[in-house]
Amino acid sequence: MKLVTPPYIQQLEAYIPGKPIETLQRELGLGDVVKLASNENPIGPSPRAMAAIKAALGRLHRYPDGAAHDLTGKLAHQWGVGAGNVVLGNGSDDLIAMIARAFLAPGDEVVVPQPSFLMYALAAQWSGAHCVSVPLKGLAIDLNAVADAVGPASKIIFLCNPNNPTGTIFTKADFERFFERVPEEVIVVLDEAYAEFVRSENFGSGVDYIDLGRPIVTLRTFSTAYGLAGLRVGYGIMPAEVAQILHRVRDPFNVSIPAQAGALAALDDHAHLLE
């Protein structure tokens, strides 16, 4: 079979997810397995979330609310932003892919610390963009080096804070010094998938900068702290102008009925989140 694909797709290597526990048990004949590779929450989902998911199962013959009105509104209220500033995804991976589809074209550049979350580089390659990798300084993201790597073709900077896999953070002051050096047209994506676990008082969320009139996108997820990785629910908070563009490339009904119900209930279970 002869298939014609762009060269940048031919050069891609597929993402290899962490091996499921069941597969490892089957392959090696093991009983109890403790899996650490995918950073999954060992406590499990909120009982409230599980009850809400079960209650939603009778509606599976219907399509989800494509606008996810209730979940979007609750997140907007929680963060003190407008509903037009929130975009939901089928996990934060979905949002990373949306950003790439919406803003990248062949020949563009994406600046990414290395090592960091693999999906940033893959999303760049999907769009035919060139990934500029910036080595870490020890285990930490070197924001000065990232700023130095920004050039005329740079369209997006991906920053994972705390960084996956090294677990280090950069502070609010660090980010503000870095941000002063970034051209206004460059989109800065702050992936805060593990931010709920941060205890430093010097940590600042990208949501703090939503009113600056700059394209800062903050990503959050229900997969880690909320223990809902199997539902695939993530969200982004961003200027409304950016959100409107992402909605143009967002898959319709990208967050399922059980996922919306579970995430909505999980937001109210503060005791479980603290645990």
Side-chain angles (χ1 to χ4, degrees):
M1 182 184 298
K2 185 176 182 179
L3 299 175
V4 179
T5 59
Y8 54 85
I9 297 297
Q10 294 176 10
Q11 295 166 6
L12 272 174
E13 294 185 9
Y15 180 84
I16 301 175
K19 187 174 291 188
I21 289 176
E22 296 79 8
T23 301
L24 195 62
Q25 289 173 321
R26 187 170 57 250
E27 289 178 352
L28 300 181
L30 297 175
D32 293 332
V33 173
V34 177
K35 180 184 177 186
L36 302 179
S38 297
N39 295 340
E40 293 160 325
N41 190 328
I43 297 175
S46 156
R48 291 192 190 184
M50 289 191 286
I53 292 164
K54 291 176 182 177
L57 296 181
R59 294 185 283 123
L60 294 187
H61 60 299
R62 304 293 187 190
Y63 286 103
D65 173 6
H69 176 272
D70 291 344
L71 181 55
T72 297
K74 195 173 189 70
L75 287 168
H77 177 74
Q78 173 177 299
W79 287 102
V81 300
N85 299 115
V86 181
V87 179
L88 294 184
N90 185 231
S92 52
D93 298 357
D94 187 25
L95 286 149
I96 293 167
M98 281 187 227
I99 294 165
R101 285 201 302 271
F103 296 105
L104 293 177
D108 290 339
E109 288 184 352
V110 174
V111 182
V112 178
Q114 181 64 32
S116 195
F117 187 37
L118 181 61
M119 291 302 297
Y120 311 142
L122 284 178
Q125 289 180 273
W126 292 338
S127 303
H130 174 61
C131 186
V132 178
S133 296
V134 180
L136 301 186
K137 188 175 184 179
L139 296 177
I141 292 175
D142 187 344
L143 290 179
N144 286 326
V146 171
D148 289 340
V150 174
S154 300
K155 295 295 188 296
I156 301 173
I157 301 170
F158 283 104
L159 298 174
C160 194
N161 195 31
N163 187 45
N164 176 11
T166 61
T168 56
I169 66 167
F170 51 81
T171 67
K172 185 172 183 177
D174 294 334
F175 179 72
E176 289 176 354
R177 285 191 294 269
F178 159 80
F179 191 58
E180 291 176 356
R181 299 184 55 196
V182 176
E184 291 189 4
E185 67 276 9
V186 175
I187 298 169
V188 178
V189 179
L190 291 170
D191 185 351
E192 299 178 359
Y194 299 93
E196 288 87 356
F197 299 101
V198 176
R199 294 295 177 265
S200 171
E201 295 181 357
N202 297 320
F203 181 85
S205 172
V207 181
D208 298 338
Y209 308 98
I210 196 166
D211 294 326
L212 288 184
R214 297 282 297 272
I216 299 179
V217 177
T218 304
L219 302 182
R220 291 274 179 144
T221 181
F222 285 89
S223 294
T224 49
Y226 290 95
L228 296 176
L231 283 186
R232 312 305 304 125
V233 193
Y235 63 97
I237 299 177
M238 64 204 76
E241 296 86 349
V242 178
Q244 289 166 7
I245 294 174
L246 292 194
H247 282 305
R248 297 177 193 175
V249 301
R250 179 175 63 85
D251 292 337
F253 314 119
N254 63 329
V255 181
S256 72
I257 288 174
Q260 291 185 37
L264 195 61
L267 287 173
D268 287 329
D269 198 340
H270 304 293
H272 186 80
L273 178 65
L274 183 61
E275 182 184 1

